[in-house]
Structure formats: C-alpha cells, structure tokens
Amino acid sequence: MKNCTFCNLTKNDEKYLLLETDYFKLYLADKQDYVGRCIVVSKRHCRSLSLLNEDEWIDLKTIVDLTEKMCRCVLGADLCNWSCLMNDFFKSDFPNPHLHIHIRPRHKKPVELGNTFFSDDEFGHHYKNHNHFLLSEDEMKLLFELFQKYIDKELK
Amino acid sequence: MKNCTFCNLTKNDEKYLLLETDYFKLYLADKQDYVGRCIVVSKRHCRSLSLLNEDEWIDLKTIVDLTEKMCRCVLGADLCNWSCLMNDFFKSDFPNPHLHIHIRPRHKKPVELGNTFFSDDEFGHHYKNHNHFLLSEDEMKLLFELFQKYIDKELK
C-alpha cells in the first residue's frame, strides 16, 4: 500500500533481513538493546495474531524454531523473550499494521561478540523497554554475518 | 512432578480456570493490572515456544483466536498484547517451567465493569510491568463469569 512504510522498504531498510519465508520476514533488529534482538514481520497487513490463517501460523512456527536455535547456537542464549504487542499502530484511528513479533535473546552469562563481552543485567527479570543500544555498526555487521551463516547452513 | 506448583494446583488455585484444551489451560490472571488479563499455560513442562510440537502449536492457535475474540466481544478490547517471557524460571540453575503466555487486553476507551470504568492510561504504549491491581474480588468474579459465559456460548 502507498502509505505503508513496510510495503515500501528500500534496499537499505532491508540490509539486516535474515530470512524470507512465504508469509514472514525475519530481521536482525536495528535496536540491539539485547544482543541478537530480532523482529518477525508478516508480509501482508494483519492486525492481530488471531487473524493469521492456518498456513501463516504453521510458517510462523518454523521461524520461531529457527530463531531460538540460532540464538542458542550462535550466541549461547539461555532463552528468548517473545512479544507481539502492536501498540504503536493503534495510536492511529485507522490502524493497518503488519503483524510483528519482537524476539529478545536473554543471557545468563555475558555474550562475546568480536572481542567485547555484553552482559544481560536484567537476566531473570522482565526486559527493560528503553534500554541503551549496545552494538557499534561493526558489531551489528559481525552479528548479522554470524546469524546469516547459521541460517544458510541450517537451510542447506 | 513433586516440586512443581503447577503440577500440584489446588481447587482454589484453579478458581479462575476459563478453559482446558488438550495441551493448555487458560486462566483469568490473578493480577488484573490490565482489565481482562489472562494467562495460557502448557499442561506439560516445556521451556520454550520452539519446543512445542505441531499438535500443541495448532491447539495454541485455537486459544489465541478465542481469547482475542472474547476480549473484543466482552470488554471491547482494541487489541491484545501477547508475551511469552519465562524469565522468572530461569533464575534457577535447573529451570523446568510450564510454557506460559501473558495476554493483556488493551483499551482505547475506558472499559465498564459493573458500574465502574477503568481506563488504560498507557494505550498505544508498552504495558507497564508493575502496575496497580485494578479489580476488587467482586469485580474479578463478575469478569470471570462474563468470560466463562462467552466461552460456553462459543464452544456450544
């Protein structure tokens, strides 16, 4: 649609696209407040989980499985926090969002990326909503490459 | 299991049980910081969404659909915030949780329950994690009855 940002993504907007399935796209999130944070976005407009059809729901599970395994294998994540909120879009009188789900990997022990260690200071507790951004652009690129490599290997 | 609270629920613990399916139980949450807050819990021990099997995933979708419809029809909710976090259990060295998902209905306009109106002051924004408890015991009972009645009608 003409006015929808997600329907009109540029190549630059897609630079952290990790995977595209029939119904969803998985991205490494721009906002790396938790190392490895990702976002899954439905390719069509859809305002709630209950409006996903059966094929989309099954497709979503393959992404859930792959993402958790990727975070565990690449980063050593102990668990992932999943949240489907959609709040921002409902500020509008005519909300017309793409369904999206945030994934925050959580780490009991500090994660090593490059030569830096990042600790998850709230491990065992609810994620902080307005946390600081942890990664430099180079670290983002490195993480994206590691994730991409993992996915390529898994989907071979 | 012997030491698991959820495996050993009393009749009183289950007083707000709304629905039991093959693999899950849906409860009206004790903590009504958002009116209509519910929780879905897997009947077996399961530590992450990716470890749900195909039958469980399909079963979960029927609960997602019913819960969102119930919150819309009974309370007029505009949307539901879904979150699967599991943080608390991972404080343990040997986490052995039941998978559980929190559902917070969100309301643009105040919700009427009994003769009281409750407003969702953060509508359009992330839920507050430590909000106040809104409902009295009588209001909890009323809400539970309304939800139960809706589910009975839907599943007839």
PDB file of all heavy atoms in Angstrom, chain B residues 104-123:
ATOM      1  N   ARG B 104      -2.540  -9.360  27.670  1.00  0.00           N
ATOM      2  CA  ARG B 104      -3.087  -8.129  28.258  1.00  0.00           C
ATOM      3  C   ARG B 104      -3.973  -7.447  27.222  1.00  0.00           C
ATOM      4  O   ARG B 104      -3.456  -6.918  26.230  1.00  0.00           O
ATOM      5  CB  ARG B 104      -1.954  -7.173  28.648  1.00  0.00           C
ATOM      6  CG  ARG B 104      -1.089  -7.646  29.813  1.00  0.00           C
ATOM      7  CD  ARG B 104       0.111  -6.729  29.965  1.00  0.00           C
ATOM      8  NE  ARG B 104       0.955  -7.048  31.095  1.00  0.00           N
ATOM      9  CZ  ARG B 104       1.956  -7.927  31.084  1.00  0.00           C
ATOM     10  NH1 ARG B 104       2.231  -8.619  29.990  1.00  0.00           N
ATOM     11  NH2 ARG B 104       2.689  -8.123  32.160  1.00  0.00           N
ATOM     12  N   PRO B 105      -5.287  -7.440  27.426  1.00  0.00           N
ATOM     13  CA  PRO B 105      -6.154  -6.687  26.512  1.00  0.00           C
ATOM     14  C   PRO B 105      -5.891  -5.195  26.690  1.00  0.00           C
ATOM     15  O   PRO B 105      -5.642  -4.750  27.818  1.00  0.00           O
ATOM     16  CB  PRO B 105      -7.576  -7.031  27.002  1.00  0.00           C
ATOM     17  CG  PRO B 105      -7.425  -8.164  27.950  1.00  0.00           C
ATOM     18  CD  PRO B 105      -6.042  -8.097  28.504  1.00  0.00           C
ATOM     19  N   ARG B 106      -5.902  -4.456  25.607  1.00  0.00           N
ATOM     20  CA  ARG B 106      -5.650  -3.014  25.680  1.00  0.00           C
ATOM     21  C   ARG B 106      -6.869  -2.246  25.172  1.00  0.00           C
ATOM     22  O   ARG B 106      -7.494  -2.663  24.186  1.00  0.00           O
ATOM     23  CB  ARG B 106      -4.390  -2.666  24.850  1.00  0.00           C
ATOM     24  CG  ARG B 106      -3.145  -3.473  25.233  1.00  0.00           C
ATOM     25  CD  ARG B 106      -2.716  -3.250  26.681  1.00  0.00           C
ATOM     26  NE  ARG B 106      -2.500  -1.863  27.007  1.00  0.00           N
ATOM     27  CZ  ARG B 106      -1.315  -1.254  26.925  1.00  0.00           C
ATOM     28  NH1 ARG B 106      -0.255  -1.934  26.532  1.00  0.00           N
ATOM     29  NH2 ARG B 106      -1.184   0.022  27.246  1.00  0.00           N
ATOM     30  N   HIS B 107      -7.160  -1.151  25.815  1.00  0.00           N
ATOM     31  CA  HIS B 107      -8.417  -0.428  25.568  1.00  0.00           C
ATOM     32  C   HIS B 107      -8.187   1.051  25.291  1.00  0.00           C
ATOM     33  O   HIS B 107      -7.633   1.752  26.147  1.00  0.00           O
ATOM     34  CB  HIS B 107      -9.329  -0.550  26.792  1.00  0.00           C
ATOM     35  CG  HIS B 107      -9.724  -1.965  27.094  1.00  0.00           C
ATOM     36  ND1 HIS B 107      -8.999  -2.777  27.944  1.00  0.00           N
ATOM     37  CD2 HIS B 107     -10.744  -2.712  26.622  1.00  0.00           C
ATOM     38  CE1 HIS B 107      -9.584  -3.964  27.993  1.00  0.00           C
ATOM     39  NE2 HIS B 107     -10.631  -3.965  27.207  1.00  0.00           N
ATOM     40  N   LYS B 108      -8.654   1.480  24.140  1.00  0.00           N
ATOM     41  CA  LYS B 108      -8.548   2.913  23.811  1.00  0.00           C
ATOM     42  C   LYS B 108      -9.527   3.720  24.679  1.00  0.00           C
ATOM     43  O   LYS B 108      -9.182   4.775  25.178  1.00  0.00           O
ATOM     44  CB  LYS B 108      -8.875   3.108  22.317  1.00  0.00           C
ATOM     45  CG  LYS B 108      -8.451   4.450  21.776  1.00  0.00           C
ATOM     46  CD  LYS B 108      -8.417   4.451  20.254  1.00  0.00           C
ATOM     47  CE  LYS B 108      -7.677   5.679  19.752  1.00  0.00           C
ATOM     48  NZ  LYS B 108      -7.345   5.591  18.328  1.00  0.00           N
ATOM     49  N   LYS B 109     -10.748   3.188  24.813  1.00  0.00           N
ATOM     50  CA  LYS B 109     -11.757   3.868  25.654  1.00  0.00           C
ATOM     51  C   LYS B 109     -11.887   3.109  26.980  1.00  0.00           C
ATOM     52  O   LYS B 109     -11.676   1.895  27.024  1.00  0.00           O
ATOM     53  CB  LYS B 109     -13.107   3.853  24.943  1.00  0.00           C
ATOM     54  CG  LYS B 109     -13.135   4.720  23.702  1.00  0.00           C
ATOM     55  CD  LYS B 109     -14.508   4.654  23.043  1.00  0.00           C
ATOM     56  CE  LYS B 109     -14.471   5.374  21.702  1.00  0.00           C
ATOM     57  NZ  LYS B 109     -15.582   5.010  20.831  1.00  0.00           N
ATOM     58  N   PRO B 110     -12.290   3.789  28.041  1.00  0.00           N
ATOM     59  CA  PRO B 110     -12.442   3.088  29.335  1.00  0.00           C
ATOM     60  C   PRO B 110     -13.393   1.889  29.230  1.00  0.00           C
ATOM     61  O   PRO B 110     -14.361   1.913  28.484  1.00  0.00           O
ATOM     62  CB  PRO B 110     -13.019   4.175  30.239  1.00  0.00           C
ATOM     63  CG  PRO B 110     -12.548   5.453  29.648  1.00  0.00           C
ATOM     64  CD  PRO B 110     -12.553   5.231  28.154  1.00  0.00           C
ATOM     65  N   VAL B 111     -13.064   0.839  29.970  1.00  0.00           N
ATOM     66  CA  VAL B 111     -13.881  -0.381  29.998  1.00  0.00           C
ATOM     67  C   VAL B 111     -14.852  -0.281  31.163  1.00  0.00           C
ATOM     68  O   VAL B 111     -14.428   0.028  32.282  1.00  0.00           O
ATOM     69  CB  VAL B 111     -13.039  -1.636  30.340  1.00  0.00           C
ATOM     70  CG1 VAL B 111     -13.784  -2.905  30.008  1.00  0.00           C
ATOM     71  CG2 VAL B 111     -11.672  -1.583  29.720  1.00  0.00           C
ATOM     72  N   GLU B 112     -16.106  -0.619  30.933  1.00  0.00           N
ATOM     73  CA  GLU B 112     -17.078  -0.638  32.029  1.00  0.00           C
ATOM     74  C   GLU B 112     -17.184  -2.057  32.577  1.00  0.00           C
ATOM     75  O   GLU B 112     -17.322  -3.021  31.826  1.00  0.00           O
ATOM     76  CB  GLU B 112     -18.442  -0.164  31.533  1.00  0.00           C
ATOM     77  CG  GLU B 112     -19.402   0.033  32.693  1.00  0.00           C
ATOM     78  CD  GLU B 112     -20.769   0.582  32.258  1.00  0.00           C
ATOM     79  OE1 GLU B 112     -20.987   0.745  31.037  1.00  0.00           O
ATOM     80  OE2 GLU B 112     -21.608   0.814  33.149  1.00  0.00           O
ATOM     81  N   LEU B 113     -17.115  -2.171  33.878  1.00  0.00           N
ATOM     82  CA  LEU B 113     -17.293  -3.481  34.520  1.00  0.00           C
ATOM     83  C   LEU B 113     -18.088  -3.230  35.796  1.00  0.00           C
ATOM     84  O   LEU B 113     -17.632  -2.496  36.675  1.00  0.00           O
ATOM     85  CB  LEU B 113     -15.928  -4.098  34.833  1.00  0.00           C
ATOM     86  CG  LEU B 113     -15.935  -5.550  35.308  1.00  0.00           C
ATOM     87  CD1 LEU B 113     -16.439  -6.501  34.243  1.00  0.00           C
ATOM     88  CD2 LEU B 113     -14.527  -5.954  35.744  1.00  0.00           C
ATOM     89  N   GLY B 114     -19.265  -3.833  35.897  1.00  0.00           N
ATOM     90  CA  GLY B 114     -20.175  -3.471  36.995  1.00  0.00           C
ATOM     91  C   GLY B 114     -20.561  -2.027  36.735  1.00  0.00           C
ATOM     92  O   GLY B 114     -20.939  -1.674  35.631  1.00  0.00           O
ATOM     93  N   ASN B 115     -20.389  -1.189  37.686  1.00  0.00           N
ATOM     94  CA  ASN B 115     -20.702   0.232  37.458  1.00  0.00           C
ATOM     95  C   ASN B 115     -19.445   1.095  37.459  1.00  0.00           C
ATOM     96  O   ASN B 115     -19.511   2.303  37.627  1.00  0.00           O
ATOM     97  CB  ASN B 115     -21.672   0.733  38.542  1.00  0.00           C
ATOM     98  CG  ASN B 115     -23.011   0.028  38.418  1.00  0.00           C
ATOM     99  OD1 ASN B 115     -23.550  -0.111  37.310  1.00  0.00           O
ATOM    100  ND2 ASN B 115     -23.533  -0.452  39.542  1.00  0.00           N
ATOM    101  N   THR B 116     -18.318   0.430  37.260  1.00  0.00           N
ATOM    102  CA  THR B 116     -17.058   1.189  37.329  1.00  0.00           C
ATOM    103  C   THR B 116     -16.393   1.227  35.946  1.00  0.00           C
ATOM    104  O   THR B 116     -16.460   0.265  35.188  1.00  0.00           O
ATOM    105  CB  THR B 116     -16.091   0.514  38.342  1.00  0.00           C
ATOM    106  OG1 THR B 116     -16.814   0.223  39.532  1.00  0.00           O
ATOM    107  CG2 THR B 116     -14.933   1.408  38.676  1.00  0.00           C
ATOM    108  N   PHE B 117     -15.758   2.346  35.645  1.00  0.00           N
ATOM    109  CA  PHE B 117     -14.995   2.475  34.404  1.00  0.00           C
ATOM    110  C   PHE B 117     -13.500   2.408  34.714  1.00  0.00           C
ATOM    111  O   PHE B 117     -13.039   3.041  35.663  1.00  0.00           O
ATOM    112  CB  PHE B 117     -15.322   3.803  33.713  1.00  0.00           C
ATOM    113  CG  PHE B 117     -16.664   3.794  33.037  1.00  0.00           C
ATOM    114  CD1 PHE B 117     -17.812   4.118  33.751  1.00  0.00           C
ATOM    115  CD2 PHE B 117     -16.785   3.446  31.704  1.00  0.00           C
ATOM    116  CE1 PHE B 117     -19.063   4.100  33.134  1.00  0.00           C
ATOM    117  CE2 PHE B 117     -18.026   3.420  31.085  1.00  0.00           C
ATOM    118  CZ  PHE B 117     -19.175   3.747  31.797  1.00  0.00           C
ATOM    119  N   PHE B 118     -12.786   1.648  33.891  1.00  0.00           N
ATOM    120  CA  PHE B 118     -11.345   1.508  34.069  1.00  0.00           C
ATOM    121  C   PHE B 118     -10.652   2.011  32.803  1.00  0.00           C
ATOM    122  O   PHE B 118     -10.988   1.547  31.711  1.00  0.00           O
ATOM    123  CB  PHE B 118     -10.974   0.035  34.289  1.00  0.00           C
ATOM    124  CG  PHE B 118     -11.606  -0.554  35.522  1.00  0.00           C
ATOM    125  CD1 PHE B 118     -12.852  -1.173  35.450  1.00  0.00           C
ATOM    126  CD2 PHE B 118     -10.964  -0.473  36.752  1.00  0.00           C
ATOM    127  CE1 PHE B 118     -13.442  -1.703  36.588  1.00  0.00           C
ATOM    128  CE2 PHE B 118     -11.555  -1.008  37.892  1.00  0.00           C
ATOM    129  CZ  PHE B 118     -12.798  -1.624  37.812  1.00  0.00           C
ATOM    130  N   SER B 119      -9.722   2.928  32.958  1.00  0.00           N
ATOM    131  CA  SER B 119      -9.056   3.430  31.746  1.00  0.00           C
ATOM    132  C   SER B 119      -7.638   2.869  31.615  1.00  0.00           C
ATOM    133  O   SER B 119      -6.963   2.618  32.612  1.00  0.00           O
ATOM    134  CB  SER B 119      -9.049   4.957  31.730  1.00  0.00           C
ATOM    135  OG  SER B 119      -8.280   5.432  32.801  1.00  0.00           O
ATOM    136  N   ASP B 120      -7.257   2.635  30.372  1.00  0.00           N
ATOM    137  CA  ASP B 120      -5.933   2.100  30.052  1.00  0.00           C
ATOM    138  C   ASP B 120      -5.060   3.307  29.708  1.00  0.00           C
ATOM    139  O   ASP B 120      -4.986   3.735  28.556  1.00  0.00           O
ATOM    140  CB  ASP B 120      -6.083   1.138  28.860  1.00  0.00           C
ATOM    141  CG  ASP B 120      -4.766   0.535  28.396  1.00  0.00           C
ATOM    142  OD1 ASP B 120      -3.696   0.995  28.859  1.00  0.00           O
ATOM    143  OD2 ASP B 120      -4.803  -0.376  27.545  1.00  0.00           O
ATOM    144  N   ASP B 121      -4.413   3.850  30.719  1.00  0.00           N
ATOM    145  CA  ASP B 121      -3.722   5.131  30.553  1.00  0.00           C
ATOM    146  C   ASP B 121      -2.510   5.054  29.636  1.00  0.00           C
ATOM    147  O   ASP B 121      -2.037   6.079  29.151  1.00  0.00           O
ATOM    148  CB  ASP B 121      -3.293   5.684  31.928  1.00  0.00           C
ATOM    149  CG  ASP B 121      -4.493   6.003  32.807  1.00  0.00           C
ATOM    150  OD1 ASP B 121      -5.573   6.297  32.245  1.00  0.00           O
ATOM    151  OD2 ASP B 121      -4.362   5.937  34.042  1.00  0.00           O
ATOM    152  N   GLU B 122      -2.014   3.844  29.415  1.00  0.00           N
ATOM    153  CA  GLU B 122      -0.824   3.694  28.540  1.00  0.00           C
ATOM    154  C   GLU B 122      -1.209   3.206  27.150  1.00  0.00           C
ATOM    155  O   GLU B 122      -0.355   2.704  26.410  1.00  0.00           O
ATOM    156  CB  GLU B 122       0.173   2.710  29.141  1.00  0.00           C
ATOM    157  CG  GLU B 122       0.698   3.067  30.508  1.00  0.00           C
ATOM    158  CD  GLU B 122      -0.142   2.512  31.644  1.00  0.00           C
ATOM    159  OE1 GLU B 122      -0.734   1.434  31.475  1.00  0.00           O
ATOM    160  OE2 GLU B 122      -0.230   3.174  32.692  1.00  0.00           O
ATOM    161  N   PHE B 123      -2.491   3.295  26.809  1.00  0.00           N
ATOM    162  CA  PHE B 123      -2.904   2.776  25.497  1.00  0.00           C
ATOM    163  C   PHE B 123      -2.016   3.369  24.383  1.00  0.00           C
ATOM    164  O   PHE B 123      -1.735   4.559  24.374  1.00  0.00           O
ATOM    165  CB  PHE B 123      -4.378   3.093  25.204  1.00  0.00           C
ATOM    166  CG  PHE B 123      -4.843   2.479  23.923  1.00  0.00           C
ATOM    167  CD1 PHE B 123      -5.205   1.141  23.875  1.00  0.00           C
ATOM    168  CD2 PHE B 123      -4.853   3.215  22.741  1.00  0.00           C
ATOM    169  CE1 PHE B 123      -5.589   0.552  22.680  1.00  0.00           C
ATOM    170  CE2 PHE B 123      -5.238   2.624  21.537  1.00  0.00           C
ATOM    171  CZ  PHE B 123      -5.597   1.295  21.517  1.00  0.00           C
TER     172      PHE B 123
END
